């Protein structure tokens, strides 16, 4: 009996340990206006808790998050927890009119979800209009108590959020562009942790500074929270070791430059192994579309060695804005970390094959003889498989899915393949009016629970040849291969990495090229897939997956929260 009681006590102790290792992490998000001084002007922006960026959320794998959003006028708001799987908590994912209706001004809503099977850096941001220009913050997931990183622990860790700033009201900018059919005003600056840096006018004091101790190793959790630009990032005279991307560990990759598309995160280690002094960290755009305007400026922060006497920072030599070879080298050289924490092997049996083309389009200018500001007097648009996505407004798609009341909300006929086969990446097709128009629709692809899906993501040259970051809500995926030109169904599968491919939730598909990804649909609900360049999302470069319920409670979407916002 004594032995039995001892074993029982041990078992209960282990159970209690596993339960207490997960905590409830609770925050209050007050959506409010803030007047800031940037670039020689005052501007009113929308923020969380009056800060830019918003508060850092730090959790451990297994924790439960409860975020109370208190929305003050004047705008609707939702918050997306970018990269979080939301296993059986699709109601908390956040995209407006996809998984919920907006939180109206003067209302509150509590997001509640668990974080399991992920470690690293993610972020949160608004998912209504262009509000994520200033409504964003870091979401850091550390190992559970008792677990450690699969690399030596750094001396300190710092989130580095790369942002994009307009000296204007971003909601007005988007609304004007959508009303006239033109491309919107480009940004005025980029930022590091909310500060543009001293390379911009009136910004000598608006520079993020980081003090380090010579000889110590630090982790930078770098997040591209910009709306419309991929960004190169360098630290003068320092190498960086990439150890994770999109909250998935990687094999260590040493580089002096990284690139992140909007929505991507990269964790790097750097050692302060240079002479005492000051060193710029800097970011500037990678912009591959020829002939189009963009914000060709550079944001900077300063790394200062403790005890340094020199006040003049050293500047890194950043790649040219159109340096596609450097971008491609970084994006394709990262590999996954088999055997590391939360590693998921590549599923080898594929149940669904899809081929999705995407890029710019035109839409007819309403009103017969009316003229819009786009090419040929039409309206700029974008699409996937020639379907330009249009959000519903009467009910969220997830509510329609749950209640099996889809009529008038969405249809389930998103095509597995493009309706027209052509030379996708040939620039001579850029303004081909016979293929450049795409109808507006709200179409989804239905997937059986547990099915494995392989997708060829094929960029097109319509309107312009450029790199598009494609973000998946609810899933991460294995990146099997990437390349330039049109995907070759016979020869390119020979390039697949089925051993240690990188795992991402956002992929920057190569300029004028393709990528092949694979994932398992193990989470019921409606899951948005879209370009994470906000400009292209506004134009309709999106689709959604409807993942059916499984046959057990653990594979069935639970009912919506009773306080879910109403449309």
């Amino acid at each position: 009996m004594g032995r039995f009681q001892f074993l029982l006590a041990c078992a209960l102790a282990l159970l209690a340990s596993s339960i207490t290792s997960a905590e409830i992490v609770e925050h209050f998000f007050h959506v409010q206006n803030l007047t800031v001084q940037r670039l020689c002007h005052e501007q009113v922006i929308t923020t969380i808790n009056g800060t830019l960026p918003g508060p850092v959320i730090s959790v451990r794998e297994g924790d439960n998050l409860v975020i109370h959003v208190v929305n003050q006028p004047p705008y609707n708001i939702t918050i997306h927890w970018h990269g979080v799987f939301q296993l059986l908590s699709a109601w908390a994912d956040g995209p407006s009119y996809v998984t919920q209706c907006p939180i109206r001004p003067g209302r509150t809503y509590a997001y509640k979800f668990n974080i399991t099977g992920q470690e690293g850096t993610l972020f949160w941001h608004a998912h209504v209009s262009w509000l994520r220009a200033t409504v964003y913050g870091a979401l850091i997931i550390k190992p559970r108590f008792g677990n450690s990183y699969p690399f030596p622990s750094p001396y300190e860790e710092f989130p580095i959020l790369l942002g994009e700033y307009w000296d204007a009201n971003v909601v007005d900018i988007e609304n004007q562009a959508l009303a006239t059919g033109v491309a919107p005003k480009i940004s005025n600056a980029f930022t590091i942790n909310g500060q543009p840096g001293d390379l911009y006018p009136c910004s000598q004091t608006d520079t993020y500074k980081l003090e380090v101790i010579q000889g110590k190793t630090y982790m930078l959790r770098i997040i591209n929270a910009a709306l419309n630009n991929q960004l190169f990032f360098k630290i003068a005279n320092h190498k960086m070791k990439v150890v994770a991307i999109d909250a998935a560990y990687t094999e260590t990759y040493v580089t002096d430059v990284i690139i992140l598309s909007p929505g991507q995160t990269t964790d790097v280690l750097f050692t302060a192994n240079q002479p005492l002094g000051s060193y710029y960290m800097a970011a500037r755009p990678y912009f591959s579309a020829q002939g189009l305007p963009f914000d060709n400026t550079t944001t900077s922060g300063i790394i200062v060695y403790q005890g340094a006497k020199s006040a003049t920072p050293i500047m890194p030599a950043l790649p040219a804005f159109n340096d596609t070879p450097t971008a491609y080298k970084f994006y394709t050289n990262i590999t996954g970390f088999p055997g590391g924490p939360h590693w998921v092997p590549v599923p080898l049996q594929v149940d669904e094959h899809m081929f999705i083309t995407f890029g710019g389009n035109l839409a007819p200018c309403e009103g017969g003889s009316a003229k819009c500001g786009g090419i040929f007097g039409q309206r700029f648009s974008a699409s996937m498989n020639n379907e330009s996505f249009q959000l519903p407004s009467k009910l969220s798609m997830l509510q329609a899915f749950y209640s099996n009341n889809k009529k008038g909300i969405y249809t389930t006929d998103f095509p597995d393949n493009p309706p027209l086969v052509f030379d996708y990446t040939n620039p001579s097709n850029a303004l081909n009016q016979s293929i450049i128009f795409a109808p507006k629709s709200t179409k989804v692809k239905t997937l059986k629970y547990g099915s494995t899906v392989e997708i060829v993501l094929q960029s097109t040259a319509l309107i312009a040849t450029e790199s598009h970051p494609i973000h998946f809500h609810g899933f991460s995926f294995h990146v099997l291969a990437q390349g330039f030109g049109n995907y070759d169904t016979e020869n390119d599968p020979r390039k697949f990495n089925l051993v240690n491919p990188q795992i991402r939730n956002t992929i920057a598909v190569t300029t004028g090229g393709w990528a092949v990804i694979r994932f398992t649909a193990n989470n019921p609900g409606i899951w948005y897939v879209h370009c994470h360049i906000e400009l292209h999302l506004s134009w309709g470069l999106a689709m959604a997956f409807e993942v059916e319920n499984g046959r057990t409670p653990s594979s069935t979407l639970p009912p919506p929260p009773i306080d879910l916002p109403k449309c």
Side-chain angles (χ1 to χ4, degrees):
M1 178 63 74
R3 176 178 173 81
F4 173 77
Q5 290 174 333
F6 173 77
L7 292 174
L8 179 61
C10 289
L12 290 174
L14 287 172
L15 178 61
S17 174
S18 66
I19 293 173
T20 57
S21 66
E23 297 182 352
I24 296 176
V25 178
E26 195 166 9
H27 288 263
F28 281 82
F29 276 17
H30 293 271
V31 185
Q32 60 194 79
N33 286 339
L34 175 70
T35 300
V36 296
Q37 284 274 0
R38 296 285 190 280
L39 311 177
C40 314
H41 299 97
E42 273 193 356
Q43 179 62 42
V44 178
I45 62 174
T46 303
T47 64
I48 299 296
N49 297 352
T51 64
L52 176 67
V56 174
I57 296 178
S58 184
V59 299
R60 292 188 178 273
E61 192 268 329
D63 283 352
N64 294 293
L65 262 176
V66 180
I67 311 292
H68 303 271
V69 177
V70 182
N71 188 23
Q72 299 174 17
Y75 302 117
N76 293 339
I77 197 77
T78 66
I79 303 294
H80 170 51
W81 315 94
H82 185 105
V84 175
F85 294 152
Q86 299 291 0
L87 293 169
L88 297 182
S89 56
W91 302 106
D93 192 44
S96 179
Y97 294 111
V98 178
T99 60
Q100 69 168 98
C101 296
I103 306 168
R104 305 294 183 184
R107 302 291 181 87
T108 64
Y109 178 62
Y111 290 94
K112 301 176 182 179
F113 55 93
N114 176 264
I115 296 180
T116 299
Q118 297 178 276
E119 292 177 21
T121 305
L122 297 174
F123 73 119
W124 56 265
H125 60 78
H127 218 298
V128 170
S129 183
W130 279 27
L131 289 178
R132 75 174 174 92
T134 54
V135 179
Y136 63 86
L139 173 54
I140 296 170
I141 310 167
K142 296 186 177 182
R144 292 184 187 233
F145 285 111
N147 295 346
S148 60
Y149 296 131
F151 46 80
S153 292
Y155 181 71
E156 282 189 90
E157 305 177 11
F158 300 96
I160 302 293
L161 291 99
L162 308 178
E164 195 168 3
Y165 182 82
W166 279 260
D167 189 16
N169 183 301
V170 292
V171 175
D172 292 344
I173 289 173
E174 182 194 25
N175 288 341
Q176 182 182 20
L178 293 176
T180 58
V182 301
K185 175 182 182 292
I186 63 173
S187 54
N188 299 99
F190 298 102
T191 58
I192 293 178
N193 287 348
Q195 302 291 350
D198 57 13
L199 303 181
Y200 292 97
C202 304
S203 302
Q204 291 300 311
T205 59
D206 296 332
T207 304
Y208 174 73
K209 293 184 179 180
L210 175 62
E211 186 178 79
V212 299
I213 298 174
Q214 190 177 45
K216 300 294 186 182
T217 296
Y218 298 84
M219 180 191 286
L220 300 183
R221 297 176 176 272
I222 308 170
I223 300 165
N224 186 350
L227 261 69
N228 295 324
N229 284 277
Q230 300 186 53
L231 293 167
F232 288 115
F233 177 89
K234 290 189 76 171
I235 304 173
N237 293 5
H238 289 77
K239 296 281 190 180
M240 295 174 282
K241 293 182 180 179
V242 177
V243 292
I245 54 173
D246 291 4
Y249 291 116
T250 66
E251 297 281 2
T252 299
Y253 176 64
V254 180
T255 179
D256 68 343
V257 60
I258 69 170
I259 182 171
L260 305 94
S261 76
Q264 289 184 333
T265 72
T266 303
D267 295 349
V268 302
L269 301 176
F270 85 96
T271 300
N273 57 7
Q274 296 300 303
L276 295 183
S278 297
Y279 301 84
Y280 276 121
M281 57 176 125
R284 68 173 299 186
Y286 164 58
F287 192 81
S288 55
Q290 296 183 5
L292 299 181
F294 69 101
D295 181 357
N296 191 14
T297 61
T298 301
T299 182
S300 60
I302 302 175
I303 293 177
V304 181
Y305 278 56
Q306 193 177 95
K309 296 180 180 179
S310 172
T312 304
I314 298 172
M315 188 70 184
L318 287 157
F321 73 87
N322 57 355
D323 190 347
T324 293
T326 293
Y328 183 74
K329 177 183 177 182
F330 180 84
Y331 281 140
T332 57
N333 276 10
I334 303 294
T335 55
F337 187 21
H342 314 296
W343 169 256
V344 177
V346 181
L348 300 180
Q349 180 177 331
V350 177
D351 304 300
E352 295 272 3
H353 289 270
M354 298 183 72
F355 190 104
I356 300 179
T357 56
F358 53 88
N361 293 99
L362 294 178
C365 193
E366 299 89 346
S369 61
K371 292 288 185 181
C372 289
I375 300 170
F376 307 127
Q378 305 297 326
R379 180 182 299 278
F380 281 115
S381 181
S383 71
M384 285 183 155
N385 276 355
N386 208 50
E387 297 288 342
S388 185
F389 193 84
Q390 183 169 274
L391 287 169
S393 59
K394 298 178 181 178
L395 190 71
S396 77
M397 297 172 70
L398 187 61
Q399 288 170 298
F401 166 80
Y402 181 80
S403 62
N404 197 27
N405 183 24
K406 306 168 190 176
K407 187 175 180 180
I409 307 300
Y410 68 87
T411 60
T412 56
D413 55 345
F414 182 84
D416 288 346
N417 297 283
L420 177 67
V421 176
F422 61 99
D423 189 356
Y424 304 119
T425 56
N426 188 336
S428 66
N429 280 322
L431 302 179
N432 185 339
Q433 293 191 63
S434 67
I435 58 176
I436 205 170
F437 288 88
K440 289 291 182 183
S441 65
T442 311
K443 296 185 177 183
V444 309
K445 164 70 175 179
T446 300
L447 300 174
K448 291 188 178 300
Y449 178 85
S451 60
T452 295
V453 187
E454 182 177 291
I455 305 176
V456 177
L457 295 168
Q458 175 69 61
S459 177
T460 71
L462 296 179
I463 302 294
T465 302
E466 58 185 306
S467 174
H468 294 270
I470 306 299
H471 171 53
F472 276 54
H473 287 234
F475 302 98
S476 288
F477 46 79
H478 293 93
V479 181
L480 304 186
Q482 303 175 65
F484 292 98
N486 297 326
Y487 178 72
D488 184 335
T489 56
E490 182 176 344
N491 294 310
D492 286 334
R494 299 171 188 170
K495 305 173 185 176
F496 285 5
N497 178 358
L498 301 176
V499 178
N500 64 343
Q502 59 184 269
I503 296 175
R504 283 199 176 274
N505 62 59
T506 305
I507 181 169
V509 179
T510 306
T511 296
W514 53 270
V516 180
I517 65 171
R518 194 179 290 181
F519 72 98
T520 299
N522 58 359
N523 198 8
I526 297 288
W527 302 106
Y528 209 17
V529 176
H530 61 86
C531 182
H532 217 268
I533 291 177
E534 197 70 25
L535 164 62
H536 299 150
L537 175 58
S538 300
W539 287 346
L541 208 164
M543 56 89 64
F545 286 110
E546 175 193 73
V547 180
E548 295 177 333
N549 284 316
R551 298 182 178 181
T552 64
S554 62
S555 62
T556 301
L557 180 70
I562 58 174
D563 59 342
L564 191 71
K566 303 292 190 297
C567 288

